[in-house]
Amino acid sequence: DSGVTQTPKHLITATGQRVTLRCSPRSGDLSVYWYQQSLDQGLQFLIQYYNGEERAKGNILERFSAQQFPDLHSELNLSSLELGDSALYFCASSVGGLGQLTGELFFGEGSRLTVL
Amino acid sequence: AQTVTQSQPEMSVQEAETVTLSCTYDTSESDYYLFWYKQPPSRQMILVIRQEAYKQQNATENRFSVNFQKAAKSFSLKISDSQLGDAAMYFCALLQPSYSGGGADGLTFGKGTHLIIQP
């Protein structure tokens, strides 16, 4: 058990819909990362938050957005869903960000999104 | 931009034998970390081993060891005495810390190698 909790574990929805994925990081971890894992693109970094603020963006679509709340949990919002958004979405956390890296990210079990 | 390449989509090894998974990477920075993550059928990403670029000594964790060749930008994983529980997808990953305030502290992953253990 990594200590990172993601909900829901599975989600099935239709094209055009909007979903929210939730992540609770390990206790004490300030950084949260979102990754998308699909068969054709592999693991892609989407976005990172550090202590409530957006730190960096990766390959995140404009239809997607995220935020990190004062209690450090994070949500990834996916809107106007398309078939190609079907993927496994991982949240990961780490102790710090700037200059405080241990170099290790702790991953949740992922949320499997299926868009029909 | 940094890239990570795993040229072996699938590898197969007999139980108790040794197998080596290949990884090459590209980065313009001198300060970085390299990792091997394991993703079993349960799908959770599990850290296997990590290497700091400034360390010349190869990292070792029990049956897992790496061959880190910084000049060649190569980072292979050796699994000794392979066990059935080692069957999984293995991902090589590069972390380029951002100390300057810009950029991501996120990992760049390779496409993965599917490791099959033959009993």
Side-chain angles (χ1 to χ4, degrees):
Chain A
D1 183 8
S2 67
V4 178
T5 303
Q6 288 187 250
T7 58
K9 285 185 168 43
H10 301 275
L11 190 57
I12 302 173
T13 189
T15 55
Q17 295 298 305
R18 172 190 171 94
V19 299
T20 297
L21 309 180
R22 182 188 169 101
C23 170
S24 294
R26 288 190 324 154
S27 177
D29 283 359
L30 299 178
S31 270
V32 170
Y33 309 76
W34 286 97
Y35 287 85
Q36 178 193 56
Q37 185 179 30
S38 60
L39 283 175
D40 55 343
Q41 294 293 325
L43 271 157
Q44 298 281 317
F45 167 65
L46 295 179
I47 197 165
Q48 177 199 359
Y49 280 83
Y50 175 71
N51 203 22
E53 294 188 1
E54 181 184 303
R55 186 71 203 291
K57 280 186 175 181
N59 299 317
I60 190 166
L61 299 173
E62 286 191 4
R63 299 183 286 108
F64 297 179
S65 65
Q67 59 186 84
Q68 187 180 27
F69 295 87
D71 66 353
L72 300 177
H73 91 271
S74 178
E75 292 181 356
L76 179 67
N77 301 297
L78 315 174
S79 61
S80 302
L81 285 167
E82 302 175 359
L83 295 177
D85 298 328
S86 295
L88 188 56
Y89 291 85
F90 281 106
C91 170
S93 72
S94 68
V95 171
L98 285 168
Q100 297 175 28
L101 288 172
T102 64
E104 180 173 358
L105 271 62
F106 295 87
F107 284 81
E109 293 184 353
S111 293
R112 169 75 68 187
L113 173 65
T114 302
V115 182
L116 300 176
Chain B
Q2 56 267 34
T3 60
V4 176
T5 303
Q6 293 179 250
S7 59
Q8 306 152 317
E10 187 173 280
M11 292 282 285
S12 182
V13 64
Q14 291 290 126
E15 193 176 2
E17 296 295 309
T18 296
V19 63
T20 298
L21 308 183
S22 301
C23 172
T24 58
Y25 61 93
D26 191 24
T27 177
S28 57
E29 300 295 326
S30 59
D31 183 18
Y32 53 89
Y33 297 83
L34 291 161
F35 304 83
W36 280 97
Y37 276 88
K38 168 184 177 181
Q39 187 179 36
S42 67
R43 80 192 187 192
Q44 185 163 13
M45 299 289 286
I46 301 166
L47 178 66
V48 174
I49 198 165
R50 77 172 203 172
Q51 174 82 40
E52 292 90 341
Y54 63 86
K55 289 187 178 179
Q56 292 185 338
Q57 186 173 7
N58 289 325
T60 300
E61 289 287 341
N62 301 313
R63 297 182 295 107
F64 299 86
S65 62
V66 298
N67 184 3
F68 174 46
Q69 301 289 327
K70 191 171 183 178
K73 295 184 178 176
S74 170
F75 184 63
S76 60
L77 174 70
K78 185 171 83 171
I79 306 174
S80 304
D81 185 25
S82 297
Q83 300 176 0
L84 294 177
D86 295 333
M89 284 291 291
Y90 285 81
F91 293 93
C92 180
L94 169 68
L95 177 64
Q96 198 167 293
S98 171
Y99 299 104
S100 63
D105 287 331
L107 291 160
T108 300
F109 285 91
K111 296 288 189 185
T113 297
H114 182 209
L115 179 63
I116 299 168
I117 310 295
Q118 305 280 5

